[in-house]
Amino acid sequence: MTVATSNVVIETTARSRQLSMRQTIAMAKRSTIELARQPALIAPSMFFPIFFAVLSASSFSKTTAIPGFPKVESFMQFALASTIVQGVLFGSVTGAAALATDIENGFFDRLLLAPTTRTGILLGRLAGSALFGLFQSAFFLTVLVPFNAPISGGIPGALVMVLSGGIVSLAIGAIMSSVAIRTGSAEAVQGAFPLLFVLLFFSSAFFPRETMSGAYKRIADINPISYLVEGLRALVLEGFTFSAVVRSLLVPTVICAAAILFALKELRRKLAAL
Amino acid sequence: MNTVATTTPVVTSVAKPTTMRSARGLAYRGIRNIRRLPSAFFPAMAMPVFTMIAFAGTFAAITRLPGFPTDRSVNWFMPLGICFGAAFSGIGLGFSTIRDIETRFYDRLLMSPAPRRSLIIGPLLTAWVRVAILCAFVIPMGILLGVRFTSGLLGLLTLVVAALGVSTISLGWGLGLAFRFRDMRGAAVMQLTMFVVLYLSSAQMPLPLMRGWLHNVARINPTTNILRLSREGLVLPTSPDYMSWSNTWGGLLAIAGMSTLTLVFARRGLNKLDK
């Protein structure tokens, strides 16, 4: 009798996990389709990073000779990693703003009324952002590599870069989703974006830390975005080495784990308040 | 008798509003909006400060390039920040106009006997006031960060003239698009185009240090002349871009030409809206 009951419990738990996974996948599919159906929302996150990369490559082409600048074939090669991070930052905000819109227009409440997994609501949305991040990273590499921006790590290096782009997207998406859950306002999410932009500028994304000095260098030294970009840049400039792979995946994974935990905590807080 | 004598001049003044009187009224309204809706003006103030600090710090090493016209990166990027802020001051008034069109306030303006010119001159005066506030805030901040005017007050004057010019151009462009789009779709086009026009110039690097396609585009982009005008009082006296008439007239001509074109564009848009 006891064995039979325990078998039923195990089976129910397994079925519940399966159901939860199916619901999360359905939510991820919804958020991906939602992004794909609104090209006007995603176009800036595809266009602007390319525009800035092409502009910087032409503007700063002579700066690669400055002492302290890493050995590169072109400024475009140096800018490849920052283009991915920049694009992914823009894209992740779109996903989080969509979550805030769901809260604003009541769709989030309808999901809560449905017998669906609570974490799936958030993780499904984040999975959509991560997929978009993967797509963006692959797109930027495909477009920019032919312009004298070879990846020393070759195809494996490029694949790790795409994967890293997806993880960065997940991490930033989780951070911005926390803002969306806490405020329930798409405007607040968009308003928080300049903070990310400031972080990006005060990092080594656009110019190497070795050429900076004073307060700017100290800020770039403690800015996590510097390490995110430099990990990816190592794959482009140093090649497919163990150190480069670890740096390009470890930093975003740590940030991602912390950000998801924080977002889930925000979600639990919101549910408890209902 | 006494009553008639008092009433007549009042009626005359209401019945014949002059362009400048109406424009002043609209300008006061625009200036009051800065206080009532600071969030709309904030980007125009924050942008130049951010551009100046972030660019000067990140790209500080570019001053080490042989032939770079100044040894202080903040001297190079402060005028760019101010020109960006001036552009957004003008465009911001384009946004306000769209809001007025959407809320039907503009219909009331069009029904009033105010001369049509004043509907453009009023916002223009507001844009200039915004630029004055911007310069009064950003230039002292720049000086604190290490900006040095190498040609004294004349350098300050050319910088302010360039900023006023950029705000005039962007206002004409913003109003022209606002009158044509009549909704917030126009706002995105305004920002994107100004952004692209400013960047496709010597915004980040001096012309002789650029290479490739951007050099060719920046060479024919009139904004390059305006930026040269704004920076001529901030570069080293040994630089070919230092304060001189040959570095000034091109900027003034570009301002005059582009302002005329965009203000005509705005006026024609207003005529269409009026119909």
Side-chain angles (χ1 to χ4, degrees), chain A residues 48 54 58-59 201 211 216, chain B residues 53 58 64 192 205 211 214:
Chain A
F48 273 108
V54 173
S58 201
S59 276
F201 253 98
T211 62
Y216 298 102
Chain B
I53 297 175
T58 306
R64 285 185 233 155
L192 191 68
M205 279 294 236
R211 258 192 230 159
L214 185 60

Side-chain angles (χ1 to χ4, degrees), chain A residues 47-48 51-52 54-56 58-63 66-67 197-198 201-203 206-207 211-212 216, chain B residues 50 53-55 57-59 61-62 64-65 192 195-196 199-200 204-205 208-214:
Chain A
F47 167 75
F48 273 108
F51 173 71
F52 278 117
V54 173
L55 190 79
S56 303
S58 201
S59 276
F60 298 124
S61 56
K62 287 192 177 175
T63 59
I66 291 173
F197 204 67
V198 169
F201 253 98
F202 285 95
S203 73
F206 299 109
F207 234 58
T211 62
M212 293 180 189
Y216 298 102
Chain B
F50 172 73
I53 297 175
F55 279 46
T58 306
F59 304 121
I62 61 172
R64 285 185 233 155
L65 286 171
L192 191 68
F195 210 62
V196 170
Y199 264 114
L200 294 182
Q204 293 174 302
M205 279 294 236
L209 294 178
M210 282 183 205
R211 258 192 230 159
W213 68 273
L214 185 60

Side-chain angles (χ1 to χ4, degrees), chain B residues 65-80:
Chain B
L65 286 171
F68 199 86
T70 171
D71 53 356
R72 291 165 188 255
S73 58
V74 74
N75 267 26
W76 183 253
F77 287 112
M78 184 185 74
L80 175 67

Side-chain angles (χ1 to χ4, degrees), chain A residues 9-232:
Chain A
V9 169
I10 291 168
E11 207 173 294
T12 313
T13 315
R15 274 181 58 196
S16 146
R17 271 191 196 147
Q18 237 177 17
L19 192 65
S20 167
M21 185 57 82
R22 280 222 308 271
Q23 287 166 346
T24 307
I25 291 169
M27 293 300 296
K29 203 172 158 189
R30 175 184 173 261
S31 64
T32 311
I33 292 171
E34 196 181 14
L35 276 178
R37 279 184 183 159
Q38 299 182 76
L41 276 184
I42 57 171
S45 63
M46 306 295 282
F47 167 75
F48 273 108
I50 300 256
F51 173 71
F52 278 117
V54 173
L55 190 79
S56 303
S58 201
S59 276
F60 298 124
S61 56
K62 287 192 177 175
T63 59
T64 54
I66 291 173
F69 206 96
K71 202 170 153 40
V72 289
E73 291 206 16
S74 65
F75 193 87
M76 183 66 93
Q77 192 188 20
F78 176 81
L80 209 53
S82 55
T83 305
I84 291 179
V85 173
Q86 196 188 344
V88 160
L89 287 188
F90 277 118
S92 314
V93 174
T94 311
L99 175 65
T101 308
D102 280 352
I103 297 172
E104 275 177 344
N105 63 23
F107 183 74
F108 189 79
D109 290 336
R110 277 190 277 162
L111 284 175
L112 293 182
L113 282 171
T116 176
T117 162
R118 283 2 188 182
T119 49
I121 299 173
L122 178 68
L123 295 180
R125 175 64 72 184
L126 291 179
S129 285
L131 281 176
F132 183 54
L134 288 172
F135 168 72
Q136 278 182 302
S137 308
F139 175 77
F140 293 139
L141 292 183
T142 312
V143 172
L144 298 178
V145 165
F147 293 95
N148 197 19
I151 302 169
S152 302
I155 292 175
L159 291 175
V160 174
M161 286 178 83
V162 170
L163 181 64
S164 177
I167 301 171
V168 173
S169 186
L170 197 59
I172 305 298
I175 294 170
M176 298 313 277
S177 295
S178 306
V179 179
I181 295 166
R182 182 169 272 261
T183 61
S185 154
E187 203 179 339
V189 174
Q190 297 287 1
F193 176 69
L195 296 176
L196 286 179
F197 204 67
V198 169
L199 269 180
L200 185 71
F201 253 98
F202 285 95
S203 73
S204 58
F206 299 109
F207 234 58
R209 269 192 288 161
E210 293 78 4
T211 62
M212 293 180 189
S213 59
Y216 298 102
K217 187 173 184 338
R218 282 196 290 278
I219 295 171
D221 282 345
I222 55 165
N223 186 345
I225 304 271
S226 294
Y227 299 96
L228 267 181
V229 176
E230 284 168 13
L232 285 172

